[in-house]
Amino acid sequence: MDSAAIVGVGMTAIEKNKIRDGFADMVWEAVNLALDDAGMTIDDIDNVVTTSNDFWDGRTISCMAVSDASGAREKNVSCVEGDGTFGAFYGLTRILSGSYGTTLVTAHSKGSESVSSLITNAAFDPIYQRAIGMDMVSACAMQANAYMHRSRTTPEQLARVSVKNHGNARHNPKAQLPMAITVEEVLASEMICDPLHKLDCSPVSDGCCAMIIAAKDRVGTAAKPPVWIKGAAFCADAFHLGDRDLSRAAALTRAAKKAFDMAGITDPATQVHVAELYDAFTYQELMWLEAMGLCADNQAGHLLEAGVFDIDGTLPVNASGGLLSGHPVIAAGLIRMAEVVRQLRGEAGGAQAKDPTVGVAQGVNGLCGQSHCVWVLSAES
Amino acid sequence: MSDTEHVIIESGAARQPFNYAVGLHGSRFLQELRDHRRFMAVKCPRCAKVYIPPRRVCGACFVEMDEFVEVGPQGTIGTFTILRYAFIDPETGVQKPVPYGYGFIRLDGADTLFQHYIDIQDESRVKIGARVEPVFADERKGTVKDIRCFRIID
Amino acid sequence: MGKQRVAIVGTGQTFHKSHRPDVNGQELINEAVGRALVDADLTIRDIDAIVIGNMDHFEGINYVDCWSVDGSGGFMKPVIKLTTGGTTGSTLAIGGYHMVASGLFDRVLVIGWEKNSESDTTGAITTAFDPVWDRLVFAGAISGLAAEAQAYMARYSATDRDGARVSVRDRKHACNNPYTQLRKEVTVDEVLASPMLADPIHLLDVCPRSDGACAVIMAGEHIAEKITATPDWIWATANRHTYTYLGDANFGRLDSLAAASREIYAKAGIREPAKEIGVIELYQPYSFAGIMWIEDLGLTGYGQGAEFVWSGATDMDGEIPINPSGGVIACNPIGATGLIRCAEAALQIMGKAEGHQVPDVDLALSTGFGGCFWSDILLHGRRKPDF
Amino acid sequence: MNNSLKHIEPMVHHSQINVPYTWWAGDTAGRFLKTLRDEQTIMGTRCNHCARVTVPPRKTCPTCFTENQTWTAVSDQGTVVAFSVARRQLAALVKKVPVIFALIRLDGADTALLHTISQVDPAEVTIGMRVRACFSKDAGATIMAISHFVPTN
């Protein structure tokens, strides 16, 4: 697939609490950065897709807050609820349908404004589950246990993900938590929910990302070389955690296979050069790597220890610092895509992988990775 | 077990607290209202439209705005209704007493309307185009409720 | 893979009611999905992707796309959620269109739903408005609409009898639609005698609260005609959002609908919409909109909407029947409502509207409206579009 | 940032969303919950197509998407397939920490039920552990009619 490309990306700094900024302020900043990046003005944008979540934003029809700031006035605009990768997917279809030549996609969230435990508790079924009192952390901790039990992954290996990603974030001026830490420090940090320590969990964050996707015949007008969309797919698993094999991400496996098939990739572990994955918790990076076929089953922990996923490894993973270093939900997946774009353009500075031409990005919706969206991007058409 | 009994699950005391950032444009407005009983609107540098409440971006022009202009405090009723059915205010969980006036005020000098309550002591005087002035709350805290309502002055 | 034309090949609705204690939300969704699959003679295995939406704070469930897979059939399929408030249903239809038109999917299931009986509707609607500027003094959706009607009446000297005439029309049409909620004829005098909610809106001028779901199956052009002999071709889609804060609205006009409809007419080469379009399913949450918004749609000149409605032109046997289904005034499961308009327009094109069928419809229009003055439009045709 | 706003103190509006919900359980979940309350029995549904027994029950088989289901009682004992132990008192938690959350596959069921385990040292909980349900008479027809699970010995 070579019909569309990413021609501009922009993101705010990821911070704990952007007290000066409302949603529109963040979107305005990210959109203007994306337009500058693309060498475009708002008049070059044919349509807009904003991405937000009514629960996180504390507002029904949360997208209303950002329609002016995203330049959607007098344009066709739509609003996806969920991770930004899903917003980008809808934006892509609006180009492939032939209706529009360019789509501006935004995704924003301010975790600082709400109580995330209550927001994610509301994702549990109100009749069968909610009163039990779970949230995203306690659910994912359960999945971490199931994954570790099956794959024999150790707490030290989980901690190593945190060490790597916080360390990588030191090269990313927009990251919230750049840190030089040790495995021992991760394991000594507060136990939030067994087996997840505080440093196994991503922080609460504010941030916004914007992206401009263009049809093939419009990429020539952009300021920078296009990053081509070679494959994109998404898939949802069962809702009830007890209906799934929680130690595996079957929906991710399916979405990744479809995206790789579209891109003509037969051996992702060798043909992908850089990956930005949804590491909301340390175990997720390892579990998603295996589920996507970026490494063999039960091997992610060992390969991590061998340095394969370091910036100078053979498959750098979350060279940006990942979500562990800043996690504005909803924007999170779109930021992963933007970071892959930066890598493929050679703009990642100290986090730059060596000459990558193919990268993957992933976004997640729902509890314990129920629904995934996978993007395969390439510097080459 | 009764087959006709429909089971209901209730949310009970569950609620979601929020700390909404007002933004700097809005903060300036609320502080002027609280401290000086002044209405500060913002003017678009391109189309010259005067917006209240002030906001950062003119949606029509896609430009940032930073020229504040004082508007009001008097204005005219742009449109209105008189609410006669009661509902639960989701913020307080309590019903507001009805009837009450609810309208959109065109403050002198502003191009957009300002939503608020309208005093309806004499319903016959409440009409589109009627002149109004704000009635301020005794204790002002920096919210739009620092205005109690608008009252008819002609 | 490649872009392709899109048609609706099946629709399904629940029997919309004030409350459905016998089913949870997933099961409600499932009823509509099941009927749409039967209508298209497909199984869930034939569906490539699902587009779903509602308004979160009506049911208090986060990540509904994920939660609903038991009912939607989304297990191990691509599922995406779109939400734009009152326009959600029509936004979903536009989303389904692009998903199929992109060539990435051939058969897409579009689902809109709401169980309004599970929350305080006005309380939940209030959460849709800006927490700092609008929410503190917001007086419910009906008050906003009432302010719009007041502005229109002042500008064009319309009366509450004009509004009542629209309610009489839609409530009469609803009697022919077994799926809708309120099926009782009323007179103009009965509308005017019903309790005043917010001047000038009486109880019988507005929509009820509803539980309901609607599902629509869209297919790419190379298979649509194999699925049904009478596909409903989607000719064009358009939308506009103009809201920033409530006080920004141009009260008395729906600028977003005017702009979106002009885009549609330009795409399809329509010059005289009232003559060229056969039927309209208008997202009309209260009666006065039935006068005002047909002017914004260009069916008649500004200030002439009431006269147009009184002439009978929008009745079932008129020049351009509006809301043969009974419209939103007869039932309003909000997240489904816009999609119901789309499904009803499809039924008219496909000739499946039974008791409320308008004869020989070649072109139909369905719209969506959001409480913040947003508009969506889809143009449906019996003939495959040649553009 | 422009000059006119340089010295403005950013404000935060403290608020809440306080909309009450009354969810209809529906006939299927309603029967499950009433049976819990009235008979302290855990019911599932067996799909007549794929033969999987789903607990909690569903009107439609989640995998086959058919309504062809038979009600069947499952055991109140089962096996832990996943668990976590909440140590920090996050807002959603109803009970005081530590709270042990678990997915429990009841004997006779093919899917696992989400609930809590009590009366055990969290350090002793393992995947594969056997547990049984304890019922509560005060919780009405809710999922808390199972108050928690305990180890079987």
Side-chain angles (χ1 to χ4, degrees):
Chain A
M1 183 167 108
D2 272 327
S3 314
I6 296 166
V7 297
V9 296
M11 64 180 105
T12 65
I14 301 166
E15 295 175 280
K16 182 181 181 182
N17 187 354
K18 289 176 179 285
I19 198 167
R20 298 162 69 90
D21 291 341
F23 304 130
D25 294 300
M26 295 197 305
V27 169
W28 171 257
E29 181 184 342
V31 165
N32 280 288
L33 288 169
L35 288 169
D36 287 349
D37 190 54
M40 292 181 168
T41 73
I42 199 67
D43 296 332
D44 297 314
I45 301 300
D46 291 356
N47 86 117
V48 177
V49 174
T50 64
T51 319
S52 55
N53 172 286
D54 292 2
F55 268 82
W56 284 104
D57 284 6
R59 182 174 183 184
T60 296
I61 336 180
S62 50
C63 49
M64 289 196 298
V66 301
S67 54
D68 280 357
S70 61
R73 190 62 69 97
E74 292 308 314
K75 295 189 198 306
N76 280 271
V77 54
S78 196
C79 312
V80 170
E81 194 169 73
D83 183 71
T85 47
F86 291 77
F89 193 98
Y90 183 33
L92 172 67
T93 67
R94 285 163 75 100
I95 287 174
L96 298 181
S97 69
S99 302
Y100 310 104
T102 56
T103 302
L104 170 66
V105 182
T106 71
H108 73 264
S109 179
K110 288 193 76 184
S112 67
E113 295 195 352
S114 61
V115 179
S116 53
S117 176
L118 297 177
I119 302 290
T120 56
N121 173 254
F124 285 84
D125 180 77
I127 295 160
Y128 282 141
Q129 303 174 335
R130 201 174 293 178
I132 294 167
M134 293 191 86
D135 58 17
M136 187 67 88
V137 178
S138 49
C140 286
M142 210 158 63
Q143 184 171 42
N145 252 333
Y147 167 72
M148 293 165 80
H149 181 80
R150 172 186 58 83
S151 66
R152 304 293 164 205
T153 303
T154 65
E156 288 74 17
Q157 289 170 331
L158 260 56
R160 178 72 196 266
V161 175
S162 183
V163 171
K164 169 177 71 74
N165 291 359
H166 286 294
N168 289 351
R170 291 175 296 169
H171 305 292
N172 179 357
K174 304 218 166 180
Q176 179 183 338
L177 291 177
M179 287 193 286
I181 49 172
T182 63
V183 166
E184 292 70 32
E185 285 172 303
V186 176
L187 295 176
S189 65
E190 179 193 353
M191 185 63 88
I192 305 289
C193 189
D194 293 28
L196 299 176
H197 302 81
K198 183 176 180 190
L199 288 172
D200 285 306
C201 306
S202 54
V204 170
S205 310
D206 294 353
C208 176
C209 186
M211 182 174 289
I212 299 165
I213 303 174
K216 194 172 196 169
D217 61 352
R218 292 282 289 277
V219 300
T221 60
K224 289 180 178 172
V227 168
W228 294 97
I229 296 165
K230 308 295 277 190
F234 58 111
C235 185
D237 205 332
F239 167 74
H240 283 268
L241 302 177
D243 288 9
R244 302 185 222 161
D245 174 353
L246 208 57
S247 74
R248 295 188 182 274
L252 176 57
T253 301
R254 183 173 292 192
K257 179 166 189 326
K258 188 169 172 192
F260 288 135
D261 284 351
M262 289 167 81
I265 286 175
T266 49
D267 181 12
T270 59
Q271 290 173 278
V272 172
H273 309 131
V274 64
E276 287 281 337
L277 304 187
Y278 205 102
D279 57 327
F281 302 94
T282 47
Y283 81 91
Q284 291 190 341
E285 180 171 301
L286 304 175
M287 189 170 156
W288 304 154
L289 277 166
E290 294 175 8
M292 293 173 79
L294 291 170
C295 72
D297 239 15
N298 308 334
Q299 291 305 307
H302 301 299
L303 294 171
L304 173 81
E305 288 175 325
V308 168
F309 307 131
D310 291 344
I311 291 172
D312 58 0
T314 52
L315 175 59
V317 177
N318 289 328
S320 66
L323 300 178
L324 288 166
S325 306
H327 183 190
V329 289
I330 306 304
L334 202 62
I335 293 172
R336 307 272 70 69
M337 290 174 68
E339 293 292 357
V340 170
V341 168
R342 278 157 35 85
Q343 285 284 350
L344 297 178
R345 285 174 174 173
E347 294 177 345
Q352 182 63 49
K354 191 167 180 301
D355 304 327
T357 53
V358 177
V360 297
Q362 173 214 9
V364 169
N365 268 341
L367 298 164
C368 299
Q370 184 189 341
S371 183
H372 299 262
C373 187
V374 176
W375 290 74
V376 183
L377 306 176
S378 175
E380 295 170 352
S381 68
Chain B
M1 185 170 77
S2 155
D3 282 342
T4 57
E5 176 197 353
H6 290 301
V7 173
I8 290 175
I9 307 295
E10 294 182 345
S11 58
R15 65 199 58 192
Q16 301 268 1
F18 284 94
N19 302 309
Y20 299 106
V22 173
L24 294 180
H25 287 71
S27 295
R28 173 151 190 211
F29 175 92
L30 293 175
Q31 286 162 24
E32 292 274 2
L33 186 70
R34 179 190 64 197
D35 300 339
H36 307 294
R37 303 191 203 189
R38 274 208 303 244
F39 292 87
M40 297 304 290
V42 70
K43 186 174 180 179
C44 175
R46 189 167 298 172
C47 69
K49 191 165 176 175
V50 175
Y51 288 99
I52 186 170
R55 73 287 311 257
R56 185 169 178 179
V57 180
C58 172
C61 301
F62 198 66
V63 296
E64 193 161 353
M65 301 186 284
D66 62 4
E67 183 189 347
F68 280 79
V69 293
E70 188 175 350
V71 298
Q74 294 191 358
T76 55
I77 295 179
T79 186
F80 74 99
T81 185
I82 295 170
L83 190 71
R84 301 184 192 277
Y85 75 101
F87 68 90
I88 292 172
D89 184 337
E91 201 168 28
T92 61
V94 177
Q95 280 191 357
K96 295 175 190 170
V98 287
Y100 64 86
Y102 168 77
F104 292 86
I105 311 300
R106 190 176 302 282
L107 291 167
D108 296 340
D111 290 311
T112 67
L113 304 171
F114 190 72
Q115 174 200 217
H116 221 291
Y117 303 128
I118 297 177
D119 179 272
I120 53 165
Q121 277 192 29
D122 182 354
E123 279 189 26
S124 69
R125 294 167 66 205
V126 184
K127 52 180 83 122
I128 290 173
R131 294 290 295 167
V132 293
E133 67 178 12
V135 180
F136 288 96
D138 297 334
E139 192 195 350
R140 295 187 303 280
K141 299 171 179 168
T143 81
V144 293
K145 286 200 166 174
D146 288 353
I147 308 154
R148 271 180 22 213
C149 65
F150 283 82
R151 118 181 120 203
I152 314 282
I153 51 174
D154 59 8
Chain C
M1 195 187 79
K3 67 180 181 183
Q4 57 181 344
R5 293 187 184 87
V6 181
I8 291 173
V9 296
T11 71
Q13 296 181 46
T14 56
F15 290 98
H16 311 302
K17 300 201 182 318
S18 64
H19 60 295
R20 285 292 307 273
D22 57 322
V23 287
N24 68 16
Q26 295 148 331
E27 294 159 357
L28 183 80
I29 290 166
N30 190 250
E31 289 180 6
V33 170
R35 289 193 179 113
L37 289 170
V38 167
D39 188 42
D41 196 20
L42 296 173
T43 74
I44 195 67
R45 283 182 296 281
D46 298 315
I47 298 298
D48 300 325
I50 292 173
V51 184
I52 190 166
N54 67 317
M55 284 171 77
D56 299 18
H57 289 104
F58 283 109
E59 290 86 14
I61 300 167
N62 198 359
Y63 297 107
V64 151
D65 48 331
C66 291
W67 166 82
S68 60
V69 295
D70 279 356
S72 68
F75 174 65
M76 292 308 279
K77 289 188 193 299
V79 185
I80 188 169
K81 181 173 184 204
L82 309 181
T83 300
T84 60
T87 37
T88 292
S90 46
T91 295
L92 291 165
I94 293 173
Y97 166 80
H98 287 293
M99 296 273 282
V100 175
S102 72
L104 295 176
F105 306 99
D106 282 332
R107 300 170 204 83
V108 169
L109 174 62
V110 183
I111 305 164
W113 71 285
E114 210 82 74
K115 280 196 95 181
N116 280 311
S117 68
E118 297 187 341
S119 67
D120 177 283
T121 300
T122 300
I125 284 179
T126 302
T127 67
F129 293 90
D130 185 277
V132 178
W133 304 107
D134 287 339
R135 201 178 294 174
L136 288 176
V137 293
F138 183 67
I142 291 171
S143 296
L145 297 172
E148 185 198 32
Q150 290 279 11
Y152 177 87
M153 290 163 77
R155 214 187 284 190
Y156 298 109
S157 305
T159 69
D160 52 3
R161 290 189 72 79
D162 298 336
R165 173 62 174 81
V166 175
S167 187
V168 167
R169 178 196 72 201
D170 283 6
R171 290 175 193 280
K172 182 175 182 195
H173 291 179
C175 295
N176 300 320
N177 177 4
Y179 287 93
T180 201
Q181 179 180 341
L182 300 178
R183 282 172 291 143
K184 185 170 181 293
E185 279 199 56
V186 297
T187 65
V188 167
D189 291 332
E190 283 167 345
V191 175
L192 297 177
S194 65
M196 184 69 88
L197 301 181
D199 307 30
I201 298 180
H202 297 84
L203 179 65
L204 288 176
D205 283 312
V206 292
C207 55
R209 290 171 16 137
S210 313
D211 286 358
C214 179
V216 165
I217 298 170
M218 296 184 182
E221 64 179 300
H222 58 287
I223 48 173
E225 284 162 316
K226 291 181 192 148
I227 294 173
T228 171
T230 57
D232 164 45
W233 295 100
I234 297 177
W235 278 40
T237 74
N239 86 304
R240 287 294 185 277
H241 294 182
T242 57
Y243 169 95
T244 312
Y245 300 112
L246 278 171
D248 295 354
N250 178 14
F251 283 91
R253 289 262 63 92
L254 190 53
D255 293 337
S256 58
L257 187 65
S261 60
R262 293 320 177 269
E263 182 182 326
I264 289 272
Y265 300 155
K267 276 182 186 167
I270 291 174
R271 290 195 181 81
E272 294 182 86
K275 291 197 169 62
E276 295 174 58
I277 296 167
V279 61
I280 295 177
E281 278 287 337
L282 181 69
Y283 191 122
Q284 177 207 289
Y286 77 125
S287 62
F288 292 85
I291 303 165
M292 298 186 278
W293 298 354
I294 61 172
E295 299 172 7
D296 296 302
L297 278 173
L299 302 186
T300 180
Y302 285 143
Q304 294 166 2
E307 189 186 333
F308 193 70
V309 169
W310 281 108
S311 77
T314 64
D315 295 342
M316 273 307 276
D317 54 356
E319 175 187 349
I320 179 163
I322 294 180
N323 295 335
S325 67
V328 186
I329 279 183
C331 86
N332 189 22
I334 300 181
T337 301
L339 191 61
I340 294 171
R341 306 278 75 70
C342 172
E344 288 288 346
L347 290 176
Q348 293 290 345
I349 293 284
M350 297 167 93
K352 289 182 176 178
E354 297 180 347
H356 56 290
Q357 179 70 47
V358 174
D360 303 322
V361 177
D362 286 324
L363 278 182
L365 203 66
S366 62
T367 79
F369 168 76
C372 37
F373 305 104
W374 296 1
S375 295
D376 287 345
I377 306 186
L378 292 98
L379 182 66
H380 310 244
R382 187 201 297 249
R383 191 164 52 77
K384 197 189 293 191
D386 51 13
F387 53 87
Chain D
M1 186 49 64
N2 56 67
N3 284 332
S4 61
L5 294 167
K6 205 157 53 183
H7 303 294
I8 297 297
E9 170 208 349
M11 296 174 76
V12 171
H13 179 68
H14 302 285
S15 181
Q16 61 176 336
I17 290 190
N18 182 8
V19 179
Y21 296 99
T22 49
W23 294 283
W24 303 105
D27 292 344
T28 302
R31 177 168 172 184
F32 171 80
L33 297 173
K34 285 187 284 188
T35 311
L36 275 188
R37 177 194 63 192
D38 300 340
E39 300 168 29
Q40 287 82 53
T41 299
I42 303 171
M43 301 292 288
T45 41
R46 180 191 306 279
C47 172
N48 294 335
H49 185 253
C50 72
R52 280 197 352 148
V53 175
T54 305
V55 179
R58 259 47 75 74
K59 186 175 182 183
T60 309
C61 172
T63 27
C64 299
F65 207 60
T66 59
E67 269 193 39
N68 189 12
Q69 310 258 65
T70 306
W71 284 87
T72 177
V74 297
S75 172
D76 62 356
Q77 298 192 17
T79 306
V80 172
V81 297
F83 73 97
S84 62
V85 186
R87 304 279 182 178
R88 191 194 273 188
Q89 195 74 42
L90 291 169
L93 286 170
V94 184
K95 300 176 178 173
K96 277 259 186 299
V97 292
V99 180
I100 307 165
F101 294 108
L103 279 173
I104 296 147
R105 187 179 298 122
L106 295 165
D107 299 342
D110 292 293
T111 68
L113 181 72
L114 199 60
H115 222 291
T116 55
I117 302 174
S118 295
Q119 296 165 33
V120 60
D121 178 351
E124 288 173 15
V125 179
T126 58
I127 290 175
M129 180 186 221
R130 294 286 298 167
V131 292
R132 75 176 158 77
C134 297
F135 294 90
S136 162
K137 301 237 169 181
D138 319 320
T142 73
I143 192 66
M144 300 319 286
I146 302 171
S147 80
H148 58 275
F149 284 78
V150 294
T152 46
N153 355 333

